[in-house]
């Protein structure tokens, strides 16, 4: 096992990642002069921390900004403002060369296991690419490393000369995981890594990620829209709505004592594998507001079943209500 450790990481630090007031606004341009006429507030002031060796689940409806958070903190898209601190170093203040070195320890697993793999490259070449880009290794060392990684994720080393189209969806996602592990990263952003897979394969991939985390001391930002999936792998869970975190708590506390009306509605939609148990569904009325023109006050007030007058006028801040449980709600 080799660890990329030449970037000044403090291995004893508990808070591996600190995200402070992260924002990403996409400008809307119109006309022959491409003048900016508005902006889409995809991420609007997100803050959280992630401890070393832990998993933070990030959940919410499609379009709430989950994926943009993950890509922004890795600078795959450039954030509008904020801070992303990895063991004391601000990624957003780094130049290209510093960021290139840092990225060896920051990786991502993409949602689509097919489009994220180059169809013109063999599996061995795909997994070996980050090693060639960041390390000076001989051809035999790289081949041995690729064989080791394929075995680690449940693939056979004699398959390394095959191409992505020759594998199933679950196998392709294992290839993506092996590529993310190539440089022994400290943090992996898992961007809905099982949403495109069959349910039976989802469980296998989740179990694989949990095993790898325990064995390699990895930290995950696990992005998903399925709360039942997040429950099995996360230590803490953050719930997003329209670009902002509305609730953040430990996995047990959130699932047993959800306080925000939006979180309660999401949990009520999670199916229970027992036909004799009937859950009371909370049906939200109306559509999700547009991030181009978000509502004043609390963004959720247009759909909230327990709103009051203050909700439409004043935006609630994310506050600790005890037991390290944070909620952004006037209730």
């Amino acid at each position: 096992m080799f660890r990329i450790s030449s970037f000044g990481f403090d291995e004893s630090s508990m808070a591996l990642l600190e995200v402070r007031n992260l924002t990403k606004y996409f400008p809307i341009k119109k006309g022959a002069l491409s003048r900016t006429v508005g902006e889409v507030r995809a991420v609007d002031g997100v803050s959280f921390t992630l401890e070393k060796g832990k998993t933070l689940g990030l959940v919410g409806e499609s379009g709430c900004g989950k994926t943009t958070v993950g890509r922004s903190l890795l600078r795959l898209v450039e954030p509008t403002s904020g801070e992303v601190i990895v063991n004391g170093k601000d990624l957003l203040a780094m130049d290209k060369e510093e960021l290139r070195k840092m990225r060896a320890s920051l990786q991502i697993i993409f949602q689509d296991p097919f489009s994220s793999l180059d169809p013109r490259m063999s599996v061995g070449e795909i997994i070996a690419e980050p090693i060639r880009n960041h390390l000076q290794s001989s051809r035999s060392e790289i081949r041995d490393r690729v064989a080791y990684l394929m075995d680690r994720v449940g693939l056979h080393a004699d398959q390394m000369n095959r191409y992505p189209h020759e594998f199933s969806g679950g196998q392709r996602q294992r290839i993506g995981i092996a590529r993310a592990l190539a440089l022994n990263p400290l943090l992996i952003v898992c961007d809905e890594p099982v949403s495109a897979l069959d349910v039976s394969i989802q469980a296998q991939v989740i179990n694989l990620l949990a095993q790898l985390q325990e064995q390699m001391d990895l930290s995950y930002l696990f992005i998903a829209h399925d709360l039942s999936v997040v429950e099995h792998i996360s230590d803490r869970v953050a719930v997003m709505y329209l670009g902002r975190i509305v609730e953040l708590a430990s996995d047990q506390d959130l699932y047993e004592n959800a306080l925000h009306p939006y979180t309660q509605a999401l949990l009520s939609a999670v199916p229970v594998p027992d036909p004799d148990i009937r859950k009371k569904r909370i049906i939200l009325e109306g559509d999700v507001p547009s991030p181009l023109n978000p509502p004043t006050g609390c963004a959720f007030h247009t759909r909230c079943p327990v709103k009051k007058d203050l909700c439409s006028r004043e935006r609630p801040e994310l506050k600790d209500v005890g037991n390290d449980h944070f909620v952004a709600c006037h209730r």
Side-chain angles (χ1 to χ4, degrees):
M1 293 290 292
F2 59 89
R3 169 75 74 183
I4 305 301
S5 58
S6 58
F7 310 120
F9 287 112
D10 179 8
E11 295 282 352
S12 64
S13 175
M14 291 297 292
L16 173 68
L17 172 68
E18 296 180 64
V19 177
R20 304 172 184 167
N21 199 31
L22 183 68
T23 63
K24 177 58 183 177
Y25 298 164
F26 292 97
I28 298 176
K29 299 181 181 294
K30 286 187 178 180
L33 300 177
S34 296
R35 290 183 297 179
T36 300
V37 296
E39 56 189 11
V40 175
R41 298 185 176 187
V43 180
D44 194 12
V46 166
S47 300
F48 59 83
T49 61
L50 175 59
E51 294 182 356
K52 188 174 181 294
K54 301 295 184 180
T55 299
L56 174 67
L58 190 60
V59 300
E61 293 172 287
S62 297
C64 70
K66 307 183 300 295
T67 293
T68 305
V69 168
R71 291 175 181 248
S72 295
L73 67 87
L74 295 179
R75 288 182 63 179
L76 296 180
V77 296
E78 286 294 331
T80 303
S81 62
E83 294 178 286
V84 178
I85 312 296
V86 178
N87 274 12
K89 296 185 177 182
D90 188 358
L91 265 64
L92 306 190
M94 292 182 177
D95 58 30
K96 289 185 178 180
E97 184 58 27
E98 290 177 313
L99 183 61
R100 179 183 176 277
K101 293 178 180 179
M102 180 68 83
R103 275 186 172 150
S105 291
L106 307 172
Q107 297 294 317
I108 184 170
I109 300 169
F110 295 97
Q111 176 178 359
D112 188 342
F114 188 73
S115 63
S116 63
L117 304 177
D118 191 334
R120 298 166 297 181
M121 297 174 67
S122 69
V123 167
E125 291 172 331
I126 289 171
I127 299 173
E129 187 175 26
I131 303 174
R132 293 195 182 100
N133 288 340
H134 287 273
L135 300 177
Q136 294 181 348
S137 302
S138 67
R139 185 173 298 180
S140 62
E141 288 174 333
I142 293 176
R143 185 177 180 84
D144 289 345
R145 177 66 177 167
V146 171
Y148 168 79
L149 290 167
M150 293 185 69
D151 178 70
R152 199 73 185 268
V153 300
L155 299 172
H156 296 291
D158 57 10
Q159 297 174 309
M160 68 172 64
N161 293 322
R162 298 184 183 180
Y163 289 83
H165 72 271
E166 300 179 73
F167 294 85
S168 67
Q171 289 175 320
R172 285 195 288 262
Q173 195 60 288
R174 290 173 186 267
I175 296 167
I177 294 171
R179 177 178 58 186
L181 295 174
L183 298 173
N184 277 334
L186 293 171
L187 170 66
I188 298 179
V189 174
C190 304
D191 184 11
E192 301 203 39
V194 298
S195 63
L197 306 178
D198 293 338
V199 174
S200 60
I201 305 301
Q202 287 183 9
Q204 295 176 19
V205 173
I206 290 295
N207 290 336
L208 173 63
L209 289 171
Q211 292 169 8
L212 292 169
Q213 181 177 46
E214 182 178 353
Q215 296 166 0
M216 303 178 67
D217 200 22
L218 298 169
S219 300
Y220 295 143
L221 176 64
F222 194 94
I223 299 169
H225 62 269
D226 189 338
L227 281 162
S228 60
V229 170
V230 172
E231 182 180 10
H232 290 292
I233 195 170
S234 300
D235 299 288
R236 289 179 64 77
V237 179
V239 180
M240 283 191 68
Y241 184 82
L242 209 65
R244 294 178 62 85
I245 291 177
V246 297
E247 189 160 7
L248 173 62
S250 68
D251 60 333
Q252 182 176 1
D253 198 14
L254 187 93
Y255 283 85
E256 295 180 358
N257 186 34
L259 299 177
H260 197 281
Y262 178 62
T263 309
Q264 294 169 354
L266 290 180
L267 289 173
S268 74
V270 175
V272 177
D274 187 338
D276 295 327
I277 297 179
R278 291 185 175 273
K279 293 178 65 176
K280 181 180 179 181
R281 283 292 310 275
I282 301 175
I283 307 298
L284 298 178
E285 298 181 356
D287 297 323
V288 179
S290 170
L292 175 61
N293 185 27
T296 58
C298 175
F300 185 63
H301 85 266
T302 58
R303 306 171 71 196
C304 183
V306 293
K307 63 184 177 183
K308 52 186 181 181
D309 291 342
L310 179 63
C311 299
S312 62
R313 301 193 307 268
E314 184 178 324
R315 185 164 70 178
E317 297 298 323
L318 193 66
K319 295 182 179 180
D320 189 349
V321 295
N323 198 29
D324 211 22
H325 191 146
F326 293 81
V327 184
C329 183
H330 289 304
R331 291 174 55 210

